[in-house]
Amino acid sequence: MLLSSIKFAGTPIYYSSRFVFKSKTLTLNLLSPYARRPSLPFSSLVRALSSSSPAAVQAAPSEETTNYEVVKPQWKAAIDFKWIRDNKEAVAVNIKNRNSNANLELVLAIYDKMFTLQKVIFDTTFHFFAKLGCELREISQEVERLREERNAVAKKMKGKLEPSERQKLVEQGKNLKQQVATLDEDLLKLKDQLQQEAQCIPNMTHPDVPIGGEDCATVRNTVGSPREFGFPVKDHLQIGKDLDLFDFDAAAEVSGSKFYYLKNEAVMLELALVNWTLSEVMKRGFTPLTTPEIVRSSVVEKCGFQPRGENTQGYGVESKLYFSSKAIKWAQLVVYSIEGSDQCLIGTAEIPLGAIHMDSLLSESLLPRKYVAFSHCFRTEAGAAGAATRGLYRVHQFSKMEMFILCRPEESDSYHDELIQIEEDLFTSLGLHYKTLDMASGDLGAPAYRKFDVEAWMPGLGRYGEISSASNCTDYQSRRLGIRYRPSEPSSPDPKKSKSATKFVHTLNATACAVPRMIICLLENYQQEDGSVTIPEPLRPFMGGLEVISRKPC
């Protein structure tokens, strides 16, 4: 299984970000996708290293490089480019199967150019396309050699020298200094460009995942059957109106479309769902948390947010709050970012949960780490429209209980099964009819190695609706977040090597309860002919013993 996920190597390098607040006006903009960058030209480097005169070095910049710019990434993933190159056929097929726009050819081309650059350092000739094979770290060693040579020249100049000899050493020192500076600059640009492109490559895919689009998902399990009603069925919107449970009109005036007020027993139902879910999941050994709901943009990206197209949306609440038309999409999720800062509103608690151990080296004895978190989630839901998304089904803000596990690589498949079993046990306890799907490759977000979705029957909508998912992300997120562990048993017979050997953890996430959609299921499946709604028995102790939601007296 370890060979089925993209491998990375080395320690991530993270850059600090600057926080700038231009005014007290809060403005939200959607994250913009990364722009594609052109490949790096090498003619300037050839001229710089194939000449011994400082004049030739200074003349190196040309029109070819005038408009070239690589934006330095705020963070770097520990990507194993050699593994990607050695397994390029499998990676290419995986990218195609997942409908990703990652440019593997560009990544490999940049990586090969780095080997070419290394050859230039050794030869300082025009033979750029000689046999490649030296590792990237040797470039740094050669840079150090040049620096030592430059320092040796400077040391010689401290002694008594003839003016002509001194001038010769001065010119030689300037030339070496410029060569090192040119090399450092181009090498840094290559590394930055390689990171930008490689971060778009999705995780590898479990061999049992069906290949294709959403329609190719396979049914893994089916529980129960649709309830038969002896009276006309209402949808949750009508039920909520009759029982005075929601107010969408007032929320639209206050916040815009796709916002809502919960009222009366609906508030009690939300809190009952949260508390019941929390108590049930804690019995399985999960540690409860509440999380920050604003996180840094770099954390969003490290959790796997990748550009997968742009959506448009615009609406305003007065003139101080607005959402722009650009968006970044990851795992089919679009989030809000706060203009004038590097922060975002979370679309799921998976993001702050994944980052809680960011840049950490964990002891193996601490694994697995199991968390269950309550948070509010914020999503643009750009492009969502139609009867199927009315009411509570697709909203901009909602409450959710999220499960998250960090474990050893060999255990992630079994914990994936555990997560989906917890979800199924919860929904079975509430008497819901549902099916569990093994999602197809084209419907997986960038981080997911495999994903199971749970779709419950919603009689008012007359269809199944997604209420939960569970994903195994293997080491895709941990390599970006820098979460490692040290095995308790040496992985190498050599004590020196085994002492420093660390591995990346595997991460998994699953929805324990997405409150609005659970409310839809309960109202529509437990509606009665007299217009009331029966409360499922497991939730009654969390609603003060209330058994039925009835019409209010006029």
Side-chain angles (χ1 to χ4, degrees):
M1 181 182 127
L2 293 178
L3 294 178
S4 299
S5 61
I6 289 185
K7 304 289 188 296
F8 301 79
T11 303
I13 302 173
Y14 303 102
Y15 296 91
S16 61
S17 301
R18 182 173 298 175
F19 296 77
V20 180
F21 297 89
K22 297 181 179 180
S23 68
K24 294 183 179 180
T25 299
L26 173 64
T27 307
L28 298 185
N29 277 334
L30 297 177
L31 279 172
S32 300
Y34 296 122
R36 291 286 180 202
R37 290 161 185 82
S39 58
L40 180 66
F42 276 79
S43 59
S44 62
L45 186 60
V46 176
R47 288 193 292 274
L49 297 183
S50 62
S51 172
S52 59
S53 70
V57 173
Q58 294 174 1
S62 67
E63 294 180 1
E64 191 174 1
T65 61
T66 301
N67 296 324
Y68 178 73
E69 180 181 0
V70 174
V71 178
K72 181 184 292 293
Q74 290 186 339
W75 59 277
K76 291 188 177 183
I79 300 176
D80 188 345
F81 298 105
K82 184 177 182 298
W83 188 91
I84 294 175
R85 184 189 63 184
D86 294 344
N87 297 271
K88 61 182 180 181
E89 290 83 7
V91 175
V93 170
N94 184 63
I95 289 173
K96 180 180 178 181
N97 289 342
R98 297 174 70 133
N99 294 329
S100 171
N101 65 356
N103 193 334
L104 178 62
E105 292 302 319
L106 181 56
V107 170
L108 295 176
I110 298 171
Y111 187 56
D112 286 342
K113 284 181 180 179
M114 296 181 73
F115 277 100
T116 303
L117 177 59
Q118 177 184 325
K119 186 64 177 175
V120 172
I121 298 171
F122 291 142
D123 273 343
T124 64
T125 69
F126 290 99
H127 301 296
F128 286 100
F129 298 102
K131 183 179 180 180
L132 304 178
C134 298
E135 297 295 334
L136 180 60
R137 62 178 178 270
E138 296 182 22
I139 296 178
S140 299
Q141 294 173 358
E142 183 63 12
V143 172
E144 290 303 315
R145 186 193 66 78
L146 290 174
R147 287 199 178 103
E148 290 174 4
E149 184 177 343
R150 183 191 66 191
N151 293 336
V153 170
K155 188 175 181 180
K156 288 181 181 180
M157 292 179 62
K158 293 181 180 179
K160 294 181 179 180
L161 298 172
E162 294 294 329
S164 60
E165 184 67 20
R166 176 177 293 277
Q167 184 59 34
K168 179 180 178 181
L169 290 175
V170 169
E171 295 298 329
Q172 184 180 354
K174 287 182 178 180
N175 189 30
L176 287 171
K177 181 178 180 180
Q178 185 60 48
Q179 288 184 39
V180 172
T182 302
L183 174 65
D184 282 339
E185 181 180 354
D186 286 337
L187 186 58
L188 182 60
K189 287 181 179 179
L190 270 181
K191 288 180 178 179
D192 289 344
Q193 187 185 9
L194 190 57
Q195 272 286 325
Q196 294 277 2
E197 298 298 336
Q199 286 172 16
C200 294
I201 298 176
N203 200 353
M204 295 301 285
T205 306
H206 191 286
D208 293 339
V209 168
I211 304 302
E214 183 178 1
D215 294 339
C216 296
T218 58
V219 178
R220 188 173 184 267
N221 188 24
T222 301
V223 175
S225 59
R227 175 188 168 189
E228 295 184 2
F229 293 88
F231 55 88
V233 176
K234 302 175 184 177
D235 65 15
H236 72 282
L237 275 171
Q238 186 61 50
I239 296 172
K241 181 179 180 180
D242 294 343
L243 299 179
D244 195 22
L245 301 177
F246 317 134
D247 194 334
F248 286 92
D249 293 336
E253 292 295 325
V254 172
S255 302
S257 63
K258 297 187 182 298
F259 288 94
Y260 58 95
Y261 284 97
L262 293 183
K263 301 170 61 178
N264 301 313
E265 291 89 346
V267 178
M268 299 172 63
L269 186 56
E270 169 163 325
L271 297 177
L273 283 166
V274 169
N275 286 295
W276 172 74
T277 301
L278 182 63
S279 65
E280 291 297 312
V281 176
M282 286 177 63
K283 293 176 184 176
R284 314 292 183 104
F286 285 73
T287 300
L289 295 173
T290 60
T291 72
E293 295 175 357
I294 296 179
V295 297
R296 294 180 177 178
S297 301
S298 59
V299 172
V300 176
E301 295 168 0
K302 289 175 188 178
C303 286
F305 280 71
Q306 297 276 355
R308 292 186 59 185
E310 292 191 4
N311 290 296
T312 58
Q313 169 157 12
Y315 64 89
V317 182
E318 302 181 340
S319 60
K320 294 184 178 180
L321 182 65
Y322 69 90
F323 303 106
S324 76
S325 61
K326 290 188 177 180
I328 181 171
K329 199 172 186 182
W330 165 81
Q332 301 172 356
L333 177 67
V334 188
V335 299
Y336 296 119
S337 68
I338 303 174
E339 190 178 84
S341 77
D342 75 337
Q343 296 171 311
C344 299
L345 302 180
I346 64 170
T348 169
E350 173 191 344
I351 298 169
L353 284 173
I356 193 171
H357 293 295
M358 185 169 60
D359 301 332
S360 296
L361 178 59
L362 305 176
S363 170
E364 186 175 23
S365 62
L366 296 177
L367 298 177
R369 302 294 294 174
K370 297 181 177 181
Y371 297 109
V372 55
F374 169 79
S375 76
H376 296 102
C377 304
F378 304 87
R379 304 184 184 181
T380 70
E381 301 296 358
T389 63
R390 293 189 336 157
L392 293 175
Y393 191 83
R394 200 173 294 279
V395 291
H396 292 308
Q397 176 185 335
F398 60 95
S399 303
K400 181 159 72 80
M401 298 295 297
E402 183 79 5
M403 297 181 287
F404 197 89
I405 295 178
L406 302 95
C407 67
R408 295 183 300 175
E410 60 269 25
E411 298 174 331
S412 63
D413 273 343
S414 63
Y415 282 120
H416 196 198
D417 290 336
E418 178 180 322
L419 287 173
I420 194 63
Q421 187 62 56
I422 292 173
E423 291 179 337
E424 291 181 344
D425 289 347
L426 292 172
F427 305 144
T428 299
S429 296
L430 294 177
L432 301 181
H433 164 49
Y434 63 86
K435 57 183 179 180
T436 304
L437 304 175
D438 194 347
M439 303 309 291
S441 60
D443 203 42
L444 299 180
Y449 175 64
R450 191 179 194 181
K451 181 165 77 87
F452 301 138
D453 276 4
V454 178
E455 295 185 352
W457 179 249
M458 300 176 177
L461 295 177
R463 64 178 180 87
Y464 290 93
E466 180 188 344
I467 59 170
S468 181
S469 67
S471 298
N472 182 0
C473 297
T474 62
D475 55 6
Y476 191 89
Q477 293 176 327
S478 63
R479 290 179 178 277
R480 288 156 167 73
L481 290 163
I483 310 174
R484 303 168 182 259
Y485 76 97
R486 190 182 300 281
S488 56
E489 295 184 3
S491 57
S492 170
D494 187 342
K496 294 182 179 179
K497 291 183 179 179
S498 63
K499 184 177 180 180
S500 60
T502 61
K503 296 181 179 180
F504 288 100
V505 301
H506 278 198
T507 62
L508 305 96
N509 64 84
T511 305
C513 179
V515 172
R517 294 193 182 179
M518 289 302 297
I519 290 178
I520 293 174
C521 289
L522 297 180
L523 294 182
E524 294 188 358
N525 282 285
Y526 282 93
Q527 60 181 295
Q528 306 300 314
E529 187 171 8
D530 62 359
S532 65
V533 174
T534 302
I535 302 299
E537 190 170 345
L539 298 180
R540 293 175 186 175
F542 298 90
M543 294 191 67
L546 184 67
E547 298 182 3
V548 178
I549 302 175
S550 303
R551 289 178 180 270
K552 310 294 183 297
C554 296

